Amino acid sequence: EAEAAPAEAASQAADEGQAAYGDGPTGAATAPDAVPEAEWQPGSGVRLINPLGSMADAYAGTGLAFTNYVHGFNAILDYIMTSGGLKATRTLPGVDEEALKPEGGLPCACHPSDHLSIAADLELV
């Protein structure tokens, strides 16, 4: 009998009550515990736990309006997150939307990427 394709093997393992990536006969790591239905959120299904504790956005409260500005869309897509004993003491300023309008957005001569650079000085507290 020929060996089952990976997708077929995963389906068969699931039908037999085994996690295809579990510690069982397939030999991979055990599946994590499922999030209880009472804790479900739209778009969630995986519980992410940061072993360093809660995270903070280094740019919070700075007024950064966007890191990506292309035709018909602008938003913050890039972040510097800190946790534990790290604190942002200073951040690289963002770019004013009015400065990008004549250029037609990103990328442009002054900013050759579709994402703006962000940076932060961090202090260990």
PDB file of all heavy atoms in Angstrom, residues 53-97:
ATOM      1  N   GLY A  53       5.020  38.785  29.455  1.00  0.00           N
ATOM      2  CA  GLY A  53       3.937  39.600  30.013  1.00  0.00           C
ATOM      3  C   GLY A  53       3.263  40.448  28.943  1.00  0.00           C
ATOM      4  O   GLY A  53       3.433  40.219  27.754  1.00  0.00           O
ATOM      5  N   SER A  54       2.520  41.442  29.372  1.00  0.00           N
ATOM      6  CA  SER A  54       1.776  42.264  28.430  1.00  0.00           C
ATOM      7  C   SER A  54       2.730  43.113  27.596  1.00  0.00           C
ATOM      8  O   SER A  54       3.839  43.430  28.008  1.00  0.00           O
ATOM      9  CB  SER A  54       0.781  43.157  29.175  1.00  0.00           C
ATOM     10  OG  SER A  54       1.485  44.044  30.023  1.00  0.00           O
ATOM     11  N   MET A  55       2.276  43.474  26.411  1.00  0.00           N
ATOM     12  CA  MET A  55       3.090  44.244  25.470  1.00  0.00           C
ATOM     13  C   MET A  55       2.577  45.679  25.409  1.00  0.00           C
ATOM     14  O   MET A  55       1.399  45.932  25.607  1.00  0.00           O
ATOM     15  CB  MET A  55       3.003  43.616  24.073  1.00  0.00           C
ATOM     16  CG  MET A  55       3.353  42.149  24.006  1.00  0.00           C
ATOM     17  SD  MET A  55       5.098  41.811  24.108  1.00  0.00           S
ATOM     18  CE  MET A  55       5.675  42.417  22.572  1.00  0.00           C
ATOM     19  N   ALA A  56       3.490  46.597  25.114  1.00  0.00           N
ATOM     20  CA  ALA A  56       3.126  48.005  24.946  1.00  0.00           C
ATOM     21  C   ALA A  56       3.701  48.499  23.632  1.00  0.00           C
ATOM     22  O   ALA A  56       4.824  48.151  23.256  1.00  0.00           O
ATOM     23  CB  ALA A  56       3.670  48.830  26.104  1.00  0.00           C
ATOM     24  N   ASP A  57       2.937  49.314  22.922  1.00  0.00           N
ATOM     25  CA  ASP A  57       3.375  49.902  21.660  1.00  0.00           C
ATOM     26  C   ASP A  57       4.280  51.089  21.959  1.00  0.00           C
ATOM     27  O   ASP A  57       3.877  52.038  22.628  1.00  0.00           O
ATOM     28  CB  ASP A  57       2.143  50.346  20.863  1.00  0.00           C
ATOM     29  CG  ASP A  57       2.465  50.987  19.533  1.00  0.00           C
ATOM     30  OD1 ASP A  57       3.646  51.064  19.143  1.00  0.00           O
ATOM     31  OD2 ASP A  57       1.509  51.415  18.857  1.00  0.00           O
ATOM     32  N   ALA A  58       5.522  51.058  21.473  1.00  0.00           N
ATOM     33  CA  ALA A  58       6.470  52.145  21.717  1.00  0.00           C
ATOM     34  C   ALA A  58       5.969  53.471  21.160  1.00  0.00           C
ATOM     35  O   ALA A  58       6.335  54.537  21.646  1.00  0.00           O
ATOM     36  CB  ALA A  58       7.831  51.800  21.110  1.00  0.00           C
ATOM     37  N   TYR A  59       5.113  53.428  20.143  1.00  0.00           N
ATOM     38  CA  TYR A  59       4.599  54.645  19.515  1.00  0.00           C
ATOM     39  C   TYR A  59       3.256  55.103  20.106  1.00  0.00           C
ATOM     40  O   TYR A  59       2.691  56.081  19.652  1.00  0.00           O
ATOM     41  CB  TYR A  59       4.459  54.440  18.005  1.00  0.00           C
ATOM     42  CG  TYR A  59       5.737  54.762  17.250  1.00  0.00           C
ATOM     43  CD1 TYR A  59       6.739  53.820  17.085  1.00  0.00           C
ATOM     44  CD2 TYR A  59       5.938  56.026  16.719  1.00  0.00           C
ATOM     45  CE1 TYR A  59       7.896  54.111  16.406  1.00  0.00           C
ATOM     46  CE2 TYR A  59       7.096  56.340  16.031  1.00  0.00           C
ATOM     47  CZ  TYR A  59       8.073  55.381  15.881  1.00  0.00           C
ATOM     48  OH  TYR A  59       9.224  55.696  15.204  1.00  0.00           O
ATOM     49  N   ALA A  60       2.738  54.424  21.105  1.00  0.00           N
ATOM     50  CA  ALA A  60       1.462  54.815  21.708  1.00  0.00           C
ATOM     51  C   ALA A  60       1.550  56.254  22.208  1.00  0.00           C
ATOM     52  O   ALA A  60       2.499  56.635  22.880  1.00  0.00           O
ATOM     53  CB  ALA A  60       1.105  53.879  22.855  1.00  0.00           C
ATOM     54  N   GLY A  61       0.572  57.045  21.838  1.00  0.00           N
ATOM     55  CA  GLY A  61       0.505  58.427  22.300  1.00  0.00           C
ATOM     56  C   GLY A  61       1.402  59.400  21.548  1.00  0.00           C
ATOM     57  O   GLY A  61       1.470  60.572  21.897  1.00  0.00           O
ATOM     58  N   THR A  62       2.098  58.931  20.509  1.00  0.00           N
ATOM     59  CA  THR A  62       2.989  59.831  19.775  1.00  0.00           C
ATOM     60  C   THR A  62       2.308  60.540  18.621  1.00  0.00           C
ATOM     61  O   THR A  62       2.876  61.461  18.044  1.00  0.00           O
ATOM     62  CB  THR A  62       4.204  59.064  19.204  1.00  0.00           C
ATOM     63  OG1 THR A  62       3.737  58.130  18.227  1.00  0.00           O
ATOM     64  CG2 THR A  62       4.992  58.367  20.295  1.00  0.00           C
ATOM     65  N   GLY A  63       1.135  60.094  18.244  1.00  0.00           N
ATOM     66  CA  GLY A  63       0.431  60.709  17.122  1.00  0.00           C
ATOM     67  C   GLY A  63       0.820  60.135  15.772  1.00  0.00           C
ATOM     68  O   GLY A  63       0.438  60.684  14.734  1.00  0.00           O
ATOM     69  N   LEU A  64       1.568  59.042  15.755  1.00  0.00           N
ATOM     70  CA  LEU A  64       1.935  58.404  14.490  1.00  0.00           C
ATOM     71  C   LEU A  64       0.646  58.014  13.770  1.00  0.00           C
ATOM     72  O   LEU A  64      -0.158  57.247  14.285  1.00  0.00           O
ATOM     73  CB  LEU A  64       2.802  57.167  14.741  1.00  0.00           C
ATOM     74  CG  LEU A  64       3.286  56.412  13.504  1.00  0.00           C
ATOM     75  CD1 LEU A  64       4.275  57.274  12.712  1.00  0.00           C
ATOM     76  CD2 LEU A  64       3.924  55.097  13.901  1.00  0.00           C
ATOM     77  N   ALA A  65       0.435  58.560  12.572  1.00  0.00           N
ATOM     78  CA  ALA A  65      -0.814  58.330  11.854  1.00  0.00           C
ATOM     79  C   ALA A  65      -0.758  57.127  10.917  1.00  0.00           C
ATOM     80  O   ALA A  65      -1.776  56.501  10.645  1.00  0.00           O
ATOM     81  CB  ALA A  65      -1.184  59.575  11.053  1.00  0.00           C
ATOM     82  N   PHE A  66       0.404  56.812  10.385  1.00  0.00           N
ATOM     83  CA  PHE A  66       0.526  55.711   9.431  1.00  0.00           C
ATOM     84  C   PHE A  66       1.989  55.315   9.281  1.00  0.00           C
ATOM     85  O   PHE A  66       2.895  56.102   9.543  1.00  0.00           O
ATOM     86  CB  PHE A  66      -0.050  56.079   8.061  1.00  0.00           C
ATOM     87  CG  PHE A  66       0.534  57.336   7.480  1.00  0.00           C
ATOM     88  CD1 PHE A  66       1.701  57.305   6.727  1.00  0.00           C
ATOM     89  CD2 PHE A  66      -0.067  58.567   7.694  1.00  0.00           C
ATOM     90  CE1 PHE A  66       2.246  58.472   6.207  1.00  0.00           C
ATOM     91  CE2 PHE A  66       0.467  59.734   7.181  1.00  0.00           C
ATOM     92  CZ  PHE A  66       1.642  59.684   6.429  1.00  0.00           C
ATOM     93  N   THR A  67       2.200  54.068   8.864  1.00  0.00           N
ATOM     94  CA  THR A  67       3.530  53.625   8.459  1.00  0.00           C
ATOM     95  C   THR A  67       3.500  53.137   7.017  1.00  0.00           C
ATOM     96  O   THR A  67       4.534  52.857   6.432  1.00  0.00           O
ATOM     97  CB  THR A  67       4.071  52.489   9.356  1.00  0.00           C
ATOM     98  OG1 THR A  67       3.205  51.362   9.265  1.00  0.00           O
ATOM     99  CG2 THR A  67       4.211  52.947  10.799  1.00  0.00           C
ATOM    100  N   ASN A  68       2.312  53.026   6.449  1.00  0.00           N
ATOM    101  CA  ASN A  68       2.114  52.637   5.062  1.00  0.00           C
ATOM    102  C   ASN A  68       1.134  53.623   4.451  1.00  0.00           C
ATOM    103  O   ASN A  68       0.079  53.893   5.037  1.00  0.00           O
ATOM    104  CB  ASN A  68       1.568  51.211   5.006  1.00  0.00           C
ATOM    105  CG  ASN A  68       1.329  50.739   3.598  1.00  0.00           C
ATOM    106  OD1 ASN A  68       0.213  50.823   3.100  1.00  0.00           O
ATOM    107  ND2 ASN A  68       2.356  50.227   2.948  1.00  0.00           N
ATOM    108  N   TYR A  69       1.499  54.195   3.300  1.00  0.00           N
ATOM    109  CA  TYR A  69       0.652  55.195   2.649  1.00  0.00           C
ATOM    110  C   TYR A  69       0.761  54.969   1.145  1.00  0.00           C
ATOM    111  O   TYR A  69       1.728  55.365   0.512  1.00  0.00           O
ATOM    112  CB  TYR A  69       1.128  56.603   3.017  1.00  0.00           C
ATOM    113  CG  TYR A  69       0.202  57.719   2.592  1.00  0.00           C
ATOM    114  CD1 TYR A  69      -0.690  58.273   3.503  1.00  0.00           C
ATOM    115  CD2 TYR A  69       0.241  58.225   1.308  1.00  0.00           C
ATOM    116  CE1 TYR A  69      -1.538  59.303   3.132  1.00  0.00           C
ATOM    117  CE2 TYR A  69      -0.603  59.257   0.926  1.00  0.00           C
ATOM    118  CZ  TYR A  69      -1.482  59.786   1.838  1.00  0.00           C
ATOM    119  OH  TYR A  69      -2.332  60.810   1.472  1.00  0.00           O
ATOM    120  N   VAL A  70      -0.212  54.264   0.614  1.00  0.00           N
ATOM    121  CA  VAL A  70      -0.264  53.988  -0.819  1.00  0.00           C
ATOM    122  C   VAL A  70      -1.606  54.457  -1.351  1.00  0.00           C
ATOM    123  O   VAL A  70      -2.498  54.797  -0.582  1.00  0.00           O
ATOM    124  CB  VAL A  70      -0.029  52.490  -1.122  1.00  0.00           C
ATOM    125  CG1 VAL A  70       1.373  52.067  -0.715  1.00  0.00           C
ATOM    126  CG2 VAL A  70      -1.061  51.614  -0.442  1.00  0.00           C
ATOM    127  N   HIS A  71      -1.757  54.460  -2.658  1.00  0.00           N
ATOM    128  CA  HIS A  71      -2.982  54.960  -3.285  1.00  0.00           C
ATOM    129  C   HIS A  71      -4.229  54.320  -2.660  1.00  0.00           C
ATOM    130  O   HIS A  71      -4.397  53.112  -2.698  1.00  0.00           O
ATOM    131  CB  HIS A  71      -2.950  54.678  -4.788  1.00  0.00           C
ATOM    132  CG  HIS A  71      -4.175  55.117  -5.502  1.00  0.00           C
ATOM    133  ND1 HIS A  71      -4.462  56.444  -5.696  1.00  0.00           N
ATOM    134  CD2 HIS A  71      -5.201  54.428  -6.027  1.00  0.00           C
ATOM    135  CE1 HIS A  71      -5.611  56.547  -6.331  1.00  0.00           C
ATOM    136  NE2 HIS A  71      -6.082  55.326  -6.547  1.00  0.00           N
ATOM    137  N   GLY A  72      -5.058  55.147  -2.053  1.00  0.00           N
ATOM    138  CA  GLY A  72      -6.322  54.676  -1.490  1.00  0.00           C
ATOM    139  C   GLY A  72      -6.228  53.981  -0.140  1.00  0.00           C
ATOM    140  O   GLY A  72      -7.223  53.484   0.361  1.00  0.00           O
ATOM    141  N   PHE A  73      -5.047  53.923   0.460  1.00  0.00           N
ATOM    142  CA  PHE A  73      -4.919  53.218   1.738  1.00  0.00           C
ATOM    143  C   PHE A  73      -3.779  53.815   2.543  1.00  0.00           C
ATOM    144  O   PHE A  73      -2.695  54.061   2.023  1.00  0.00           O
ATOM    145  CB  PHE A  73      -4.618  51.730   1.492  1.00  0.00           C
ATOM    146  CG  PHE A  73      -4.372  50.948   2.742  1.00  0.00           C
ATOM    147  CD1 PHE A  73      -5.430  50.460   3.495  1.00  0.00           C
ATOM    148  CD2 PHE A  73      -3.075  50.702   3.193  1.00  0.00           C
ATOM    149  CE1 PHE A  73      -5.206  49.736   4.661  1.00  0.00           C
ATOM    150  CE2 PHE A  73      -2.847  49.979   4.351  1.00  0.00           C
ATOM    151  CZ  PHE A  73      -3.918  49.502   5.080  1.00  0.00           C
ATOM    152  N   ASN A  74      -4.026  54.045   3.830  1.00  0.00           N
ATOM    153  CA  ASN A  74      -2.947  54.368   4.759  1.00  0.00           C
ATOM    154  C   ASN A  74      -3.332  53.865   6.132  1.00  0.00           C
ATOM    155  O   ASN A  74      -4.485  53.933   6.531  1.00  0.00           O
ATOM    156  CB  ASN A  74      -2.595  55.864   4.749  1.00  0.00           C
ATOM    157  CG  ASN A  74      -3.690  56.745   5.298  1.00  0.00           C
ATOM    158  OD1 ASN A  74      -3.976  56.705   6.483  1.00  0.00           O
ATOM    159  ND2 ASN A  74      -4.292  57.546   4.447  1.00  0.00           N
ATOM    160  N   ALA A  75      -2.343  53.297   6.827  1.00  0.00           N
ATOM    161  CA  ALA A  75      -2.597  52.715   8.146  1.00  0.00           C
ATOM    162  C   ALA A  75      -1.264  52.440   8.830  1.00  0.00           C
ATOM    163  O   ALA A  75      -0.215  52.465   8.200  1.00  0.00           O
ATOM    164  CB  ALA A  75      -3.383  51.411   8.019  1.00  0.00           C
ATOM    165  N   ILE A  76      -1.338  52.161  10.113  1.00  0.00           N
ATOM    166  CA  ILE A  76      -0.161  51.708  10.852  1.00  0.00           C
ATOM    167  C   ILE A  76      -0.086  50.195  10.691  1.00  0.00           C
ATOM    168  O   ILE A  76      -0.971  49.474  11.148  1.00  0.00           O
ATOM    169  CB  ILE A  76      -0.241  52.103  12.338  1.00  0.00           C
ATOM    170  CG1 ILE A  76      -0.280  53.630  12.479  1.00  0.00           C
ATOM    171  CG2 ILE A  76       0.940  51.519  13.107  1.00  0.00           C
ATOM    172  CD1 ILE A  76      -0.496  54.110  13.898  1.00  0.00           C
ATOM    173  N   LEU A  77       0.957  49.738  10.010  1.00  0.00           N
ATOM    174  CA  LEU A  77       1.160  48.309   9.791  1.00  0.00           C
ATOM    175  C   LEU A  77       2.406  47.798  10.500  1.00  0.00           C
ATOM    176  O   LEU A  77       2.638  46.596  10.548  1.00  0.00           O
ATOM    177  CB  LEU A  77       1.293  48.006   8.291  1.00  0.00           C
ATOM    178  CG  LEU A  77       0.112  48.397   7.405  1.00  0.00           C
ATOM    179  CD1 LEU A  77       0.402  48.037   5.961  1.00  0.00           C
ATOM    180  CD2 LEU A  77      -1.177  47.743   7.870  1.00  0.00           C
ATOM    181  N   ASP A  78       3.216  48.709  11.010  1.00  0.00           N
ATOM    182  CA  ASP A  78       4.485  48.341  11.631  1.00  0.00           C
ATOM    183  C   ASP A  78       4.494  48.811  13.080  1.00  0.00           C
ATOM    184  O   ASP A  78       4.015  49.900  13.381  1.00  0.00           O
ATOM    185  CB  ASP A  78       5.641  48.984  10.863  1.00  0.00           C
ATOM    186  CG  ASP A  78       5.577  48.636   9.384  1.00  0.00           C
ATOM    187  OD1 ASP A  78       5.934  47.504   9.048  1.00  0.00           O
ATOM    188  OD2 ASP A  78       5.142  49.485   8.587  1.00  0.00           O
ATOM    189  N   TYR A  79       5.034  47.989  13.944  1.00  0.00           N
ATOM    190  CA  TYR A  79       5.017  48.283  15.379  1.00  0.00           C
ATOM    191  C   TYR A  79       6.350  47.934  16.012  1.00  0.00           C
ATOM    192  O   TYR A  79       7.059  47.036  15.547  1.00  0.00           O
ATOM    193  CB  TYR A  79       3.929  47.458  16.083  1.00  0.00           C
ATOM    194  CG  TYR A  79       2.543  47.798  15.643  1.00  0.00           C
ATOM    195  CD1 TYR A  79       1.971  47.181  14.539  1.00  0.00           C
ATOM    196  CD2 TYR A  79       1.794  48.756  16.319  1.00  0.00           C
ATOM    197  CE1 TYR A  79       0.690  47.508  14.124  1.00  0.00           C
ATOM    198  CE2 TYR A  79       0.512  49.085  15.914  1.00  0.00           C
ATOM    199  CZ  TYR A  79      -0.030  48.456  14.810  1.00  0.00           C
ATOM    200  OH  TYR A  79      -1.287  48.791  14.402  1.00  0.00           O
ATOM    201  N   ILE A  80       6.674  48.617  17.096  1.00  0.00           N
ATOM    202  CA  ILE A  80       7.750  48.222  17.993  1.00  0.00           C
ATOM    203  C   ILE A  80       7.062  47.972  19.331  1.00  0.00           C
ATOM    204  O   ILE A  80       6.493  48.888  19.925  1.00  0.00           O
ATOM    205  CB  ILE A  80       8.823  49.319  18.135  1.00  0.00           C
ATOM    206  CG1 ILE A  80       9.493  49.569  16.778  1.00  0.00           C
ATOM    207  CG2 ILE A  80       9.841  48.924  19.202  1.00  0.00           C
ATOM    208  CD1 ILE A  80      10.442  50.743  16.780  1.00  0.00           C
ATOM    209  N   MET A  81       7.094  46.729  19.759  1.00  0.00           N
ATOM    210  CA  MET A  81       6.416  46.356  20.990  1.00  0.00           C
ATOM    211  C   MET A  81       7.467  46.143  22.087  1.00  0.00           C
ATOM    212  O   MET A  81       8.527  45.584  21.828  1.00  0.00           O
ATOM    213  CB  MET A  81       5.595  45.085  20.791  1.00  0.00           C
ATOM    214  CG  MET A  81       4.583  45.173  19.651  1.00  0.00           C
ATOM    215  SD  MET A  81       3.368  46.498  19.827  1.00  0.00           S
ATOM    216  CE  MET A  81       2.383  45.874  21.157  1.00  0.00           C
ATOM    217  N   THR A  82       7.135  46.610  23.278  1.00  0.00           N
ATOM    218  CA  THR A  82       8.028  46.423  24.419  1.00  0.00           C
ATOM    219  C   THR A  82       7.283  45.661  25.509  1.00  0.00           C
ATOM    220  O   THR A  82       6.053  45.638  25.540  1.00  0.00           O
ATOM    221  CB  THR A  82       8.523  47.775  24.986  1.00  0.00           C
ATOM    222  OG1 THR A  82       7.398  48.519  25.445  1.00  0.00           O
ATOM    223  CG2 THR A  82       9.268  48.576  23.933  1.00  0.00           C
ATOM    224  N   SER A  83       8.045  45.054  26.391  1.00  0.00           N
ATOM    225  CA  SER A  83       7.439  44.365  27.524  1.00  0.00           C
ATOM    226  C   SER A  83       8.461  44.276  28.634  1.00  0.00           C
ATOM    227  O   SER A  83       9.632  44.617  28.455  1.00  0.00           O
ATOM    228  CB  SER A  83       6.969  42.963  27.126  1.00  0.00           C
ATOM    229  OG  SER A  83       8.062  42.142  26.846  1.00  0.00           O
ATOM    230  N   GLY A  84       8.008  43.804  29.771  1.00  0.00           N
ATOM    231  CA  GLY A  84       8.909  43.614  30.901  1.00  0.00           C
ATOM    232  C   GLY A  84       9.562  44.911  31.324  1.00  0.00           C
ATOM    233  O   GLY A  84       8.904  45.922  31.501  1.00  0.00           O
ATOM    234  N   GLY A  85      10.869  44.911  31.424  1.00  0.00           N
ATOM    235  CA  GLY A  85      11.592  46.070  31.905  1.00  0.00           C
ATOM    236  C   GLY A  85      12.053  47.021  30.819  1.00  0.00           C
ATOM    237  O   GLY A  85      12.938  47.837  31.058  1.00  0.00           O
ATOM    238  N   LEU A  86      11.485  46.950  29.622  1.00  0.00           N
ATOM    239  CA  LEU A  86      11.857  47.873  28.556  1.00  0.00           C
ATOM    240  C   LEU A  86      10.822  48.978  28.410  1.00  0.00           C
ATOM    241  O   LEU A  86       9.619  48.713  28.430  1.00  0.00           O
ATOM    242  CB  LEU A  86      11.994  47.143  27.215  1.00  0.00           C
ATOM    243  CG  LEU A  86      13.205  46.267  27.042  1.00  0.00           C
ATOM    244  CD1 LEU A  86      13.149  45.546  25.704  1.00  0.00           C
ATOM    245  CD2 LEU A  86      14.478  47.075  27.147  1.00  0.00           C
ATOM    246  N   LYS A  87      11.309  50.197  28.233  1.00  0.00           N
ATOM    247  CA  LYS A  87      10.422  51.349  28.059  1.00  0.00           C
ATOM    248  C   LYS A  87      10.996  52.197  26.931  1.00  0.00           C
ATOM    249  O   LYS A  87      12.204  52.438  26.873  1.00  0.00           O
ATOM    250  CB  LYS A  87      10.369  52.132  29.366  1.00  0.00           C
ATOM    251  CG  LYS A  87       9.710  53.475  29.289  1.00  0.00           C
ATOM    252  CD  LYS A  87       9.686  54.115  30.658  1.00  0.00           C
ATOM    253  CE  LYS A  87      10.721  55.219  30.723  1.00  0.00           C
ATOM    254  NZ  LYS A  87      10.585  56.078  31.884  1.00  0.00           N
ATOM    255  N   ALA A  88      10.131  52.666  26.032  1.00  0.00           N
ATOM    256  CA  ALA A  88      10.567  53.550  24.952  1.00  0.00           C
ATOM    257  C   ALA A  88      10.763  54.956  25.522  1.00  0.00           C
ATOM    258  O   ALA A  88       9.891  55.489  26.189  1.00  0.00           O
ATOM    259  CB  ALA A  88       9.535  53.572  23.836  1.00  0.00           C
ATOM    260  N   THR A  89      11.938  55.528  25.275  1.00  0.00           N
ATOM    261  CA  THR A  89      12.225  56.881  25.759  1.00  0.00           C
ATOM    262  C   THR A  89      12.110  57.917  24.645  1.00  0.00           C
ATOM    263  O   THR A  89      11.900  59.092  24.918  1.00  0.00           O
ATOM    264  CB  THR A  89      13.641  56.971  26.359  1.00  0.00           C
ATOM    265  OG1 THR A  89      14.590  56.604  25.360  1.00  0.00           O
ATOM    266  CG2 THR A  89      13.759  56.065  27.572  1.00  0.00           C
ATOM    267  N   ARG A  90      12.249  57.460  23.393  1.00  0.00           N
ATOM    268  CA  ARG A  90      12.189  58.372  22.269  1.00  0.00           C
ATOM    269  C   ARG A  90      11.884  57.555  21.016  1.00  0.00           C
ATOM    270  O   ARG A  90      12.318  56.409  20.903  1.00  0.00           O
ATOM    271  CB  ARG A  90      13.544  59.058  22.168  1.00  0.00           C
ATOM    272  CG  ARG A  90      13.718  60.075  21.127  1.00  0.00           C
ATOM    273  CD  ARG A  90      15.001  60.844  21.342  1.00  0.00           C
ATOM    274  NE  ARG A  90      16.171  60.018  21.075  1.00  0.00           N
ATOM    275  CZ  ARG A  90      17.328  60.495  20.675  1.00  0.00           C
ATOM    276  NH1 ARG A  90      17.490  61.793  20.535  1.00  0.00           N
ATOM    277  NH2 ARG A  90      18.349  59.703  20.443  1.00  0.00           N
ATOM    278  N   THR A  91      11.137  58.139  20.072  1.00  0.00           N
ATOM    279  CA  THR A  91      10.823  57.449  18.825  1.00  0.00           C
ATOM    280  C   THR A  91      11.150  58.342  17.634  1.00  0.00           C
ATOM    281  O   THR A  91      11.140  59.568  17.742  1.00  0.00           O
ATOM    282  CB  THR A  91       9.334  57.054  18.759  1.00  0.00           C
ATOM    283  OG1 THR A  91       8.528  58.213  18.919  1.00  0.00           O
ATOM    284  CG2 THR A  91       8.980  56.018  19.807  1.00  0.00           C
ATOM    285  N   LEU A  92      11.427  57.708  16.515  1.00  0.00           N
ATOM    286  CA  LEU A  92      11.637  58.426  15.269  1.00  0.00           C
ATOM    287  C   LEU A  92      10.305  59.034  14.853  1.00  0.00           C
ATOM    288  O   LEU A  92       9.288  58.333  14.828  1.00  0.00           O
ATOM    289  CB  LEU A  92      12.128  57.444  14.202  1.00  0.00           C
ATOM    290  CG  LEU A  92      12.487  57.994  12.839  1.00  0.00           C
ATOM    291  CD1 LEU A  92      13.735  58.873  12.952  1.00  0.00           C
ATOM    292  CD2 LEU A  92      12.754  56.837  11.873  1.00  0.00           C
ATOM    293  N   PRO A  93      10.279  60.338  14.540  1.00  0.00           N
ATOM    294  CA  PRO A  93       8.999  60.946  14.170  1.00  0.00           C
ATOM    295  C   PRO A  93       8.444  60.372  12.870  1.00  0.00           C
ATOM    296  O   PRO A  93       9.206  59.928  12.001  1.00  0.00           O
ATOM    297  CB  PRO A  93       9.315  62.432  14.019  1.00  0.00           C
ATOM    298  CG  PRO A  93      10.767  62.590  14.184  1.00  0.00           C
ATOM    299  CD  PRO A  93      11.374  61.273  14.528  1.00  0.00           C
ATOM    300  N   GLY A  94       7.135  60.421  12.752  1.00  0.00           N
ATOM    301  CA  GLY A  94       6.476  59.993  11.529  1.00  0.00           C
ATOM    302  C   GLY A  94       6.567  61.070  10.464  1.00  0.00           C
ATOM    303  O   GLY A  94       7.187  62.123  10.658  1.00  0.00           O
ATOM    304  N   VAL A  95       5.952  60.805   9.338  1.00  0.00           N
ATOM    305  CA  VAL A  95       5.938  61.741   8.217  1.00  0.00           C
ATOM    306  C   VAL A  95       4.540  62.334   8.108  1.00  0.00           C
ATOM    307  O   VAL A  95       3.546  61.632   8.277  1.00  0.00           O
ATOM    308  CB  VAL A  95       6.319  61.013   6.906  1.00  0.00           C
ATOM    309  CG1 VAL A  95       6.187  61.914   5.709  1.00  0.00           C
ATOM    310  CG2 VAL A  95       7.727  60.456   7.020  1.00  0.00           C
ATOM    311  N   ASP A  96       4.466  63.622   7.820  1.00  0.00           N
ATOM    312  CA  ASP A  96       3.191  64.303   7.663  1.00  0.00           C
ATOM    313  C   ASP A  96       2.534  63.897   6.341  1.00  0.00           C
ATOM    314  O   ASP A  96       3.193  63.843   5.297  1.00  0.00           O
ATOM    315  CB  ASP A  96       3.430  65.818   7.708  1.00  0.00           C
ATOM    316  CG  ASP A  96       2.142  66.595   7.650  1.00  0.00           C
ATOM    317  OD1 ASP A  96       1.396  66.556   8.644  1.00  0.00           O
ATOM    318  OD2 ASP A  96       1.888  67.220   6.606  1.00  0.00           O
ATOM    319  N   GLU A  97       1.248  63.627   6.376  1.00  0.00           N
ATOM    320  CA  GLU A  97       0.507  63.226   5.180  1.00  0.00           C
ATOM    321  C   GLU A  97       0.624  64.277   4.076  1.00  0.00           C
ATOM    322  O   GLU A  97       0.744  63.935   2.900  1.00  0.00           O
ATOM    323  CB  GLU A  97      -0.967  62.997   5.546  1.00  0.00           C
ATOM    324  CG  GLU A  97      -1.811  62.514   4.403  1.00  0.00           C
ATOM    325  CD  GLU A  97      -3.232  62.189   4.815  1.00  0.00           C
ATOM    326  OE1 GLU A  97      -3.586  62.383   5.996  1.00  0.00           O
ATOM    327  OE2 GLU A  97      -3.984  61.739   3.947  1.00  0.00           O
TER     328      GLU A  97
END
